[in-house]
Amino acid sequence: MTANGKVVIVEGLKKYFPVRRGVFSRTVGYVKAVDGVSFEIGHSETLGLVGESGCGKTTTGRTILRLIEPTEGRIVISGEDVRALSGNRLRQARRNFQIIFQDPYASLNPRMTVEGIVGEGLKVHGIGTRGERRRKVASLLERVGLPADSADRYPHEFSGGQRQRIGIARALALEPVFIVCDEPVSALDVSIRAQIVNLLEELQAETHISYLFIAHDLNLVEHISDNVAVMYLGRIVEYASSDDLYGKPLHPYTHALLAANPVPDPETKRERIILPGDVPSPMNPPAGCHFVPRCPLADDKCRAAYPEMLEAFPGHWVACYKAGQDENQTGDWRPETGAKA
C-alpha cells in the first residue's frame, strides 16, 4: 500500500493503437482507446468502471496490468511504479496484481488440468514444493466453492459458473493486493451472477483485496462498488461514490446510462433518454467535448474545448460545462464557479 493509503494510482493513462495503411503500412493515425485516464483505488475498495461497448474499459484494465503496453501515463500498484519495471522485477511485481477475464471458456487452457491452471502462477514464481502447491490449489478450490478433487479434472467438465470460479481461484493463488475484474459475470446466466458477485465480496472481506470492476450492468456495479467512474470514448467523464453517482448524477451521458438501466420494480416508470447518433470514432473524435454530437445541452463552448475534470461536490468529479443544468438533473451546478444555483 502506498503512503497515502492508495493501493492503485493511475495518472494520465493513454493507449493509442496505430492505424497503418498502404503498401508500406505507413501510420496514418491512431485509435485513442484510452486518452488520459486518472483514478485511485484504496485498500479493500472497489472501483466500478462503466460505459458503452468500445469506450475503452477493458483496454484500461489490461493496460494498468501491462498486458497491453501503455503509450503514456503513470501506474503505481502497491507503491511500485509498474511502468518503470522490466524483466525479473516486473515478473515479481505481477504477484501483486491479477485479472479475472470476461470469458470463462476462452480464458482457461483446455489442455491443462484445473491443478495446472490454478497452480501455474505458483510454479512460475517457484513457490513451494509440488506437494505444497497441490495442497494450496485444493485449498483455493474449496475457498471458491469447488470440491478439492476438481483439481484433476479439465475445464470442459465444468459449467460456466464453475469455470469462472476456477478463474477466480487462479487470480487468488499468488495472494495479490489488486485484481482487475473484466466483466467477470457478463457471460454467465443471471442465476449464477449473484453467486459470483457474492463470492468476490466475501473474498474481499477476508483478504482486503482491491478491485477494478469493469461491467455493463449498472445495478451490479452499484451493488459491489464503493466508487464509480463513467467512461466515454477513452476518457472518464464522471467520478463519484456509488451513492452520489446513482443518487445525483451530473453528466448528461451518465443520465442517459442510468435512464436505460432496467428497474426491477414493474410499478416504477423511468423516462428513457434516447441519445441521437452513434459513438464517434476514437480515431477521429470531435473537437471540444467528445459527447457533443449526442448531447442535447451542447453549445458553442462545448464544441470549442474539452471541459476540465472539476470537483462539483466533495468527492464528486465531472467533465462537463453543462452539468446539472438540465431540468431532469439535480440542482444547477456550473463548473465555472463550483456553485449551486
Side-chain angles (χ1 to χ4, degrees), residues 139-219:
S139 175
L140 286 166
L141 291 175
E142 290 178 340
R143 195 174 194 180
V144 299
L146 293 173
D149 60 11
S150 300
D152 296 322
R153 297 160 63 187
Y154 287 85
H156 73 270
E157 301 179 64
F158 297 89
S159 67
Q162 290 172 324
R163 285 169 178 251
Q164 198 61 297
R165 289 174 186 267
I166 295 170
I168 294 171
R170 174 176 59 184
L172 292 171
L174 294 173
E175 300 179 0
V177 298
F178 171 59
I179 295 179
V180 172
C181 304
D182 184 13
E183 303 199 36
V185 298
S186 63
L188 304 178
D189 293 338
V190 175
S191 60
I192 305 299
R193 293 183 183 183
Q195 297 177 22
I196 299 300
V197 170
N198 290 338
L199 172 61
L200 291 172
E201 291 184 316
E202 290 169 6
L203 293 170
Q204 186 177 56
E206 292 174 14
T207 62
H208 307 292
I209 298 174
S210 300
Y211 293 137
L212 174 63
F213 194 88
I214 300 168
H216 286 96
D217 189 333
L218 295 178
N219 289 326

Side-chain angles (χ1 to χ4, degrees), residues 239-260:
Y239 177 97
S241 69
S242 181
D243 290 342
D244 285 348
L245 188 131
Y246 282 82
K248 188 166 51 182
L250 296 175
H251 199 283
Y253 178 63
T254 307
H255 272 267
L257 284 180
L258 294 178

